[in-house]
Amino acid sequence: MAIVLRITVRNAKTSTVILSLLSRTPLPLPASIIPRHSISSAPSNLPSPSKTHLQNPTFPPLPPYPDDLDPESDEPTSPDEPGLHGFLELLARAKQLSSNGEALELLHGSGFRPTKGLVVSALRELRDDWESALLTFRWATAGDRCPSVCLAAWHWMIWVLGRHGKFGLAWRLVQQMHRSSVLTRRPLLILIERYAASNEAGKAIKTFHAMEKFKLYAATKSFYTLLHALCKHGNIEEAENLLLLNKKLFPLETEGFNIILNGWCNISVDITEAKRVWREMAACCIHPDATSYTHMISCFSKSGNLCGSLKLYDQMKNKGWSPGLEVYNSLVYILARENCTKEAFNLFEKITGAGLKPDTDTFNSLIIPLCETGKIEDAWNVLNDMVVKGLSPTIGTYHAFAKVESMEGTLKLIDRMWEAGCGPISDTFLLIIEKFLRLQQSENALKIWTEMKRHDIEPEPSHYVAMVRGLIDCGWISKARDFNDEMKLKGFRAEPKFERVLKELEESRTLDIRQRDRVRI
């Protein structure tokens, strides 16, 4: 059941050593596995991806297509896997030994058995330590157990290596899987996503081509996964070019265009490009579906275009598509942002009437614009209602308040976050410090600095840069110099422009003192 919106728009804007476990030298992407494929691809001299400014989302972006290639989707893991903690402690001891052979010998003689649950859970826990993960994987796949542990363990290992840029080792695993006749498309898709995440669009495309070398059929879903990975990490132009260049092998369909739309609408939030793709769809006789409208409404909403959002909503209903929760979240947000507060609350209350259940994103879609427009009391009421309904605020929920609360309210907010177990985190204090310095409230910024240390948050370079810049702007030169010196003392690189400004101010101060002394004489 769709909700009928009758809204009068008021004031609306229309606009190591561990490497030897598999290879002594990480292999580059093997040229031999890159065939001359009939699929058109981007030229070898791919331009650097257009790093469009990623939005500070006012509400979480729409779910990725169709899965995020995280191996967790292969095999859910548990931090409570029996024996996991004991194995990780043993592994830490094994890493201290002088050779890989001794480390593996200790693991093999430990009594631990490489069960699927233990191996996969360990690899997940070690995803930030690729060397320990590789040692675990080597232990688990020793001898004739090569592919038998479980494919998910291989997928996890390839993902971890790709995450740390160890693509040579990852390709060796792919080749081993191929020789053992257990290779599927998934490891290559994982590598595609990891290359895209590493800003290696060209290698992501070549990896897709490599499927033919391994006698894997490059299905349409695999092609769409490539497009999604490119879009997700900012290479939207490259993805769109691939879509259009390969239309003979992969006929243009709504689903493919939706991936590109998602990139322009929810990754870069570029309404001009989104409109262009919308027109391109019409020119290619591709009919938008519910997902297409959802992406476009999201983009118009984030861009502050209330009239356009409502027009698309009406078109969507007239075409027979039922708006989902994401659409209503977008509309609630833009209504509240454009000061149509009553209509936003009315729509919010009617969502359940459409057979939908408001979630955390729905509440954030109302709380965030209420905070942005100064309706803090209303925002707190919505937050309290959210908690009553059993939903937990996110760090983004609290940050919306942190950006606008007074000093007293900010301190209460920090305590509430701590009590709820949701922060405060490093970014929380950074945005609060920047807020008070922007308001020329240097004393409050210094109090927040003390509060940050009370919560055991170690200052990072970004905190020091914010303090030095803000204190200079506020005229607190002596304090700015103290923070700049402390930053250098901790081994952080000082900003040259701040060094220059502080030096000039010091010279000017010294000159003023000399001139005053001459006048007295």
Side-chain angles (χ1 to χ4, degrees):
M1 172 183 172
I3 299 171
V4 178
L5 288 179
R6 290 188 175 86
I7 300 171
T8 302
V9 180
R10 299 185 300 273
N11 300 324
K13 297 178 182 178
T14 56
S15 44
T16 228
V17 165
I18 298 291
L19 289 173
S20 63
L21 290 173
L22 289 176
S23 171
R24 291 200 174 274
T25 305
L27 297 177
L29 179 65
S32 61
I33 69 169
I34 308 303
R36 292 187 177 276
H37 202 282
S38 56
I39 299 177
S40 302
S41 65
S44 57
N45 58 341
L46 276 173
S48 299
S50 51
K51 286 299 174 186
T52 45
H53 178 64
L54 300 184
Q55 78 279 15
N56 180 15
T58 48
F59 42 86
L62 298 173
Y65 168 92
D67 71 291
D68 203 18
L69 293 176
D70 187 322
E72 187 76 22
S73 59
D74 283 344
E75 191 72 40
T77 60
S78 170
D80 299 322
E81 177 71 27
L84 175 61
H85 297 295
F87 175 77
L88 293 177
E89 291 176 0
L90 177 68
L91 182 68
R93 295 203 305 272
K95 276 194 67 179
Q96 303 304 316
L97 298 177
S98 58
S99 71
N100 298 327
E102 291 180 17
L104 288 171
E105 186 177 349
L106 176 62
L107 294 176
H108 286 307
S110 64
F112 283 100
R113 294 181 63 252
T115 61
K116 181 171 69 172
L118 176 61
V119 174
V120 172
S121 295
L123 291 176
R124 183 186 186 282
E125 290 297 312
L126 297 167
R127 61 191 179 277
D128 293 325
D129 181 358
W130 71 270
E131 293 177 332
S132 295
L134 187 55
L135 181 58
T136 300
F137 181 80
R138 180 64 171 168
W139 163 73
T141 58
D144 59 356
R145 297 183 302 216
C146 188
S148 62
V149 174
C150 72
L151 289 178
W154 289 75
H155 297 165
W156 264 108
M157 193 66 246
I158 290 170
W159 184 84
V160 170
L161 290 171
R163 186 180 185 211
H164 292 274
K166 306 300 176 181
F167 290 105
L169 293 176
W171 276 107
R172 276 197 170 273
L173 292 187
V174 170
Q175 291 165 338
Q176 286 185 24
M177 295 181 76
H178 178 61
R179 288 194 296 268
S180 300
S181 302
V182 295
L183 181 64
T184 64
R185 288 190 293 267
R186 186 159 183 79
L188 296 177
L189 295 178
I190 291 172
L191 280 174
I192 285 172
E193 199 276 337
R194 289 293 86 205
Y195 273 127
S198 302
N199 197 23
E200 296 277 6
K203 290 183 179 179
I205 296 168
K206 288 181 179 180
T207 301
F208 176 78
H209 292 176
M211 289 186 183
E212 184 182 46
K213 175 69 175 181
F214 292 111
K215 296 180 171 57
L216 297 171
Y217 172 63
T220 301
K221 183 177 179 181
S222 301
F223 181 61
Y224 286 169
T225 301
L226 168 64
L227 299 182
H228 167 68
L230 293 173
C231 287
K232 176 186 173 185
H233 298 289
N235 301 290
I236 307 168
E237 291 180 15
E238 288 83 351
E240 186 176 344
N241 287 337
L242 278 176
L243 177 70
L244 298 175
L245 287 171
N246 292 289
K247 59 185 177 182
K248 290 185 178 179
L249 284 174
F250 301 103
L252 298 177
E253 297 177 345
T254 304
E255 186 176 1
F257 270 104
N258 282 346
I259 297 171
I260 308 304
L261 269 181
N262 182 52
W264 291 124
C265 291
N266 298 303
I267 306 301
S268 68
V269 194
D270 190 326
I271 195 169
T272 301
E273 292 296 329
K275 288 178 179 179
R276 180 187 57 75
V277 173
W278 192 262
R279 292 191 298 268
E280 183 73 21
M281 290 176 69
C284 295
C285 298
I286 302 297
H287 301 291
D289 61 8
T291 302
S292 312
Y293 280 102
T294 300
H295 291 332
M296 288 294 286
I297 292 171
S298 171
C299 186
F300 274 69
S301 173
K302 292 173 183 176
S303 301
N305 192 326
L306 175 56
C307 292
S309 301
L310 297 177
K311 182 178 180 181
L312 283 166
Y313 173 78
D314 288 337
Q315 289 179 8
M316 182 179 188
K317 290 190 302 174
N318 292 336
K319 294 288 185 180
W321 300 110
S322 298
L325 186 60
E326 295 89 350
V327 171
Y328 292 117
N329 290 350
S330 297
L331 294 176
V332 165
Y333 170 78
I334 186 62
L335 286 168
R337 177 179 170 180
E338 297 302 313
N339 284 313
C340 299
T341 310
K342 180 180 178 181
E343 289 82 356
F345 274 102
N346 287 340
L347 179 59
F348 185 88
E349 294 298 328
K350 291 177 180 178
I351 288 177
T352 53
L356 302 170
K357 184 178 181 180
D359 59 10
T360 302
D361 294 346
T362 311
F363 280 91
N364 282 347
S365 298
L366 189 53
I367 289 171
I368 293 173
L370 287 174
C371 288
E372 290 175 346
T373 55
K375 301 178 178 65
I376 303 176
E377 184 177 350
D378 288 339
W380 276 114
N381 290 335
V382 175
L383 175 61
N384 293 331
D385 184 44
M386 178 182 184
V387 174
V388 168
K389 287 182 167 57
L391 295 172
S392 299
T394 64
I395 198 75
T397 313
Y398 289 117
H399 282 182
F401 290 97
K403 292 177 182 178
V404 296
E405 276 287 2
S406 63
M407 184 62 191
E408 181 182 357
T410 297
L411 293 175
K412 290 180 180 178
L413 177 70
I414 291 173
D415 290 338
R416 179 164 180 165
M417 294 176 72
W418 184 81
E419 291 169 1
C422 186
I425 62 175
S426 178
D427 287 346
T428 308
F429 289 102
L430 179 60
L431 72 87
I432 294 173
I433 287 170
E434 289 177 335
K435 172 187 69 176
F436 284 127
L437 289 172
R438 188 168 57 251
L439 296 173
Q440 300 285 301
Q441 297 178 16
S442 303
E443 290 184 5
N444 287 337
L446 293 172
K447 290 178 182 178
I448 293 298
W449 188 272
T450 303
E451 188 73 11
M452 178 171 65
K453 292 187 175 181
R454 188 173 74 85
H455 283 272
D456 297 323
I457 302 292
E458 284 297 319
E460 298 176 2
S462 56
H463 296 95
Y464 281 105
V465 169
M467 286 298 289
V468 174
R469 179 196 297 115
L471 290 171
I472 290 175
D473 290 342
C474 293
W476 288 43
I477 308 305
S478 178
K479 275 292 182 182
R481 187 178 297 106
D482 290 343
F483 275 99
N484 194 61
D485 292 342
E486 183 180 325
M487 176 168 59
K488 291 188 290 185
L489 205 62
K490 287 193 173 184
F492 300 140
R493 179 178 176 275
E495 289 286 329
K497 60 181 179 181
F498 296 153
E499 294 268 274
R500 186 174 62 255
V501 170
L502 289 172
K503 182 180 178 180
E504 291 173 355
L505 290 171
E506 180 64 25
E507 291 174 351
S508 176
R509 177 175 171 273
T510 303
L511 182 61
D512 288 343
I513 292 174
R514 289 174 180 171
Q515 289 176 345
R516 285 198 299 270
D517 289 343
R518 289 196 190 99
V519 171
R520 288 171 186 166
I521 293 172

